[in-house]
Every structure is written in structure tokens, then in C-alpha cells.
């Protein structure tokens, strides 16, 4: 048997020299689970953040209050966070303004989604993973958990064509993901923070015998204005992709995002992300 060449892992996601910044957040609505990224060229980042601060000023949102849709679209949450002066119509107007301003920058939307009823959450089973170098297999316990699948959705967002037509690959991004300290068991026996499942691997754009190890920077929503954009994008997509959602507003607004692409995650096909396109 011939020797199997070693695979070198090149860590990406932290690089301050990466051309693009990718800010990610998740959203669950009814039966739809989404992870979405707001991706901006580094040279346009400050301009984009300034536009968001300006929008917050127009709606009299204090600088320390992050843009978070679960607050904006719920009256009791608005009252709790000092936004009692805002209405549901104001929340929709804010979303419209964010999309218009981010289109101008531009900021791209990249998202992955899955339909939760396709998976028996809480069910336990086994999963076989194959090594990238020689195909050798390892059998591990699997406990279906929506927060675990969010990690796979996040990684699916970077299952893009290396030619860039669906947005930059992970190797060209400094990646920021939303904090989630909930401890879960997903693949394997280890119980760890949900946001630790955001790490993964990609060979897109990698040279022979190398693979990119994706290690994002974990942020709170309040740590960056752009995390608020990611929150809006994720909320928009979870509602727009949910077949039972009767509110056309979210599909209409998704249709107004100029630059977007998506990946549909199909867990019933060996947990493999299937890349798709749009926009």
C-alpha cells in the first residue's frame, strides 16, 4: 500500500489581512433554521457601520442597544429595552432602510437553511465520517440538536464556487460568528459550547495536500454594528424560507437584497451541504 500524503491544515477566519469581513448570526422561525452572513469588503466596513449608526439614530435607538429582530418585532421586548417609542411599522421601516443602505455599500448576504421536520431532533444514532486524505472512516455517536446543526449551516455558507461568483470562500474572509454559550452534545460524546461547532474544514481554493481549518472569531451582537445586519439577514431569511409564513414582507425584502446566494442543507443525504445560487 502506498503511503498517504500528509494533509496540512491552514487556519483561516482570524486573518486581519483577509480582504473580506463576514459577520454571521442565526435565526429559527417555525420549521426553518437559518445561518446567515453579512459579507463586506474590508475597505467598506467603516462606511457600512456608519450607515447603521445613522439608521439607529433616526429611530432613536441608543448606541449600546444592538439591532436585534427578536426585540424590534416584539412589543414587550421593545418596552423592556427602552424602545417603547417604536412600533411594528417602525421595525419594518428599519429593515427596509438597512437593506437599501447595505445594497449601496455593497454588503452581500450568504445564507444556508434547513427544514427542521426533516430531522428528528433529540434522536440519537451513529454517523460515519471519512478522513479527507485517505477516506478512512470513523464511527461516532450523533444526537440531533438544532444548535449543532447551526454549526453545520454556518460552515455550509462557505460551500461556494472557488471562482467567487457566489461570494468569497472562507480563506478570503475574517469571520465573525454570534456567541452562544449553551453547552450541547452533537457529534461524538463531548459536551461543548454551541458556538464551538462553528469550527470546520474546507478544501475550496486550497492547494494540493492542504485544507483550510475554519476558526471564526466569536462576538456578541453588541460588539459590532455589522452583527446587527447579520441578525436582520438571518431573521429575514428564516421567515422568507419558511413555507408556512403568511407574511409577504420578508420574501419581498429578501428579493430586494442585490447580492445574495444560498446553500440548502439536506441532512438526509449524509449531512452534506448542497450549494445553490441566486441573486
Amino acid at each position: 500500500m502506498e503511503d498517504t500524503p500528509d494533509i496540512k491544515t491552514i487556519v483561516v477566519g482570524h486573518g486581519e489581512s483577509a480582504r473580506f469581513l463576514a459577520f454571521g448570526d442565526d435565526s429559527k422561525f417555525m420549521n426553518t433554521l437559518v445561518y446567515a452572513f453579512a459579507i463586506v469588503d474590508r475597505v467598506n466596513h467603516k462606511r457600512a457601520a456608519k450607515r447603521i449608526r445613522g439608521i439607529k439614530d433616526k429611530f432613536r435607538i441608543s448606541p449600546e442597544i444592538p439591532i436585534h429582530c427578536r426585540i424590534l418585532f416584539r412589543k414587550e421586548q421593545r418596552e423592556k429595552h427602552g424602545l417603547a417609542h417604536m412600533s411594528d411599522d417602525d421595525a419594518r421601516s428599519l429593515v427596509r432602510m438597512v437593506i437599501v443602505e447595505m445594497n449601496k455599500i455593497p454588503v452581500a448576504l450568504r445564507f444556508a437553511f434547513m427544514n427542521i421536520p426533516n430531522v428528528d431532533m433529540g434522536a440519537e444514532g451513529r454517523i460515519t465520517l471519512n478522513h479527507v486524505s485517505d477516506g478512512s472512516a470513523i464511527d461516532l455517536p450523533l444526537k440531533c440538536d438544532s444548535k449543532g446543526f447551526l454549526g453545520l449551516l454556518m460552515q455550509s455558507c462557505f460551500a461556494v464556487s472557488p471562482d467567487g461568483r457566489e461570494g468569497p470562500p472562507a480563506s478570503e474572509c475574517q469571520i465573525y460568528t454570534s456567541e452562544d454559550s449553551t453547552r450541547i452534545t452533537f457529534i461524538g460524546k463531548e459536551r461543548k459550547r454551541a458556538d464551538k461547532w462553528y469550527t470546520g474544514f474546507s478544501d475550496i481554493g486550497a492547494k494540493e495536500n492542504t485544507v483550510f481549518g475554519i476558526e471564526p472569531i466569536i462576538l456578541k451582537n453588541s460588539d459590532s454594528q455589522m452583527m446587527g445586519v447579520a441578525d436582520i439577514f438571518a431573521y429575514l431569511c428564516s421567515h422568507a424560507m419558511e413555507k408556512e409564513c403568511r407574511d409577504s414582507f420578508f420574501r419581498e425584502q429578501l428579493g430586494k437584497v442585490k447580492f445574495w446566494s444560498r446553500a440548502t442543507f439536506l441532512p438526509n443525504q449524509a449531512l452534506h451541504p448542497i450549494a445553490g445560487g441566486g441573486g
Side-chain angles (χ1 to χ4, degrees), residues 23 61 78 118 122 136 142 151 155 173 190 204 220 258:
F23 298 87
I61 300 175
R78 292 196 298 265
N118 287 341
S136 59
L142 168 68
Q155 296 169 37
C173 295
E190 183 181 0
I204 296 175
K220 295 180 180 179
K258 284 187 177 180

Side-chain angles (χ1 to χ4, degrees), residues 29-68:
F29 178 66
M30 296 178 71
N31 293 322
T32 299
L33 198 62
V34 163
Y35 204 94
F37 279 94
I39 303 176
V40 61
D41 194 305
R42 186 179 293 273
V43 298
N44 295 326
H45 173 233
K46 290 184 179 179
R47 187 155 57 99
K50 184 177 180 180
R51 297 282 178 88
I52 297 302
R53 286 193 296 270
I55 292 173
K56 289 174 70 174
D57 287 344
K58 289 182 179 180
F59 288 92
R60 292 183 289 144
I61 300 175
S62 300
E64 68 275 8
I65 299 177
I67 290 179
H68 211 312

Side-chain angles (χ1 to χ4, degrees), residues 12-32:
V12 298
H14 278 69
E16 295 184 358
S17 62
R19 176 181 172 182
F20 297 95
L21 302 178
F23 298 87
D25 204 354
D26 63 87
S27 178
K28 175 182 177 296
F29 178 66
M30 296 178 71
N31 293 322
T32 299

Side-chain angles (χ1 to χ4, degrees), residues 43-155:
V43 298
N44 295 326
H45 173 233
K46 290 184 179 179
R47 187 155 57 99
K50 184 177 180 180
R51 297 282 178 88
I52 297 302
R53 286 193 296 270
I55 292 173
K56 289 174 70 174
D57 287 344
K58 289 182 179 180
F59 288 92
R60 292 183 289 144
I61 300 175
S62 300
E64 68 275 8
I65 299 177
I67 290 179
H68 211 312
C69 287
R70 67 174 177 80
I71 296 175
L72 294 178
F73 283 91
R74 297 178 183 176
K75 181 179 179 181
E76 67 278 7
Q77 288 295 319
R78 292 196 298 265
E79 293 174 347
K80 181 179 178 180
H81 290 85
L83 300 177
H85 60 280
M86 292 185 66
S87 64
D88 288 346
D89 287 341
D90 289 330
R92 291 171 183 253
S93 294
L94 185 148
V95 169
R96 292 189 189 97
M97 291 180 66
V98 167
I99 291 173
V100 168
E101 293 302 320
M102 294 302 100
N103 281 340
K104 293 177 182 177
I105 297 298
V107 174
L109 161 63
R110 174 73 181 171
F111 73 99
F113 74 99
M114 66 177 287
N115 185 259
I116 295 175
N118 287 341
V119 178
D120 183 9
M121 291 300 170
E124 297 185 15
R126 310 290 298 182
I127 183 171
T128 300
L129 302 179
N130 296 96
H131 197 282
V132 66
S133 64
D134 59 6
S136 59
I138 182 173
D139 185 63
L140 296 171
L142 168 68
K143 183 174 182 179
C144 292
D145 188 293
S146 60
K147 289 184 177 293
F149 280 107
L150 280 174
L152 299 182
L153 288 175
M154 175 270 174
Q155 296 169 37

Side-chain angles (χ1 to χ4, degrees), residues 172-212:
E172 296 181 15
C173 295
Q174 187 171 26
I175 304 170
Y176 298 90
T177 54
S178 53
E179 179 185 53
D180 190 339
S181 61
T182 308
R183 302 189 73 84
I184 64 169
T185 302
F186 185 44
I187 298 175
K189 297 180 180 180
E190 183 181 0
R191 185 176 176 83
K192 59 185 180 180
R193 287 173 58 115
D195 53 28
K196 292 296 184 182
W197 289 104
Y198 296 155
T199 59
F201 296 93
S202 172
D203 61 357
I204 296 175
K207 296 180 180 179
E208 186 177 359
N209 296 333
T210 63
V211 65
F212 293 119

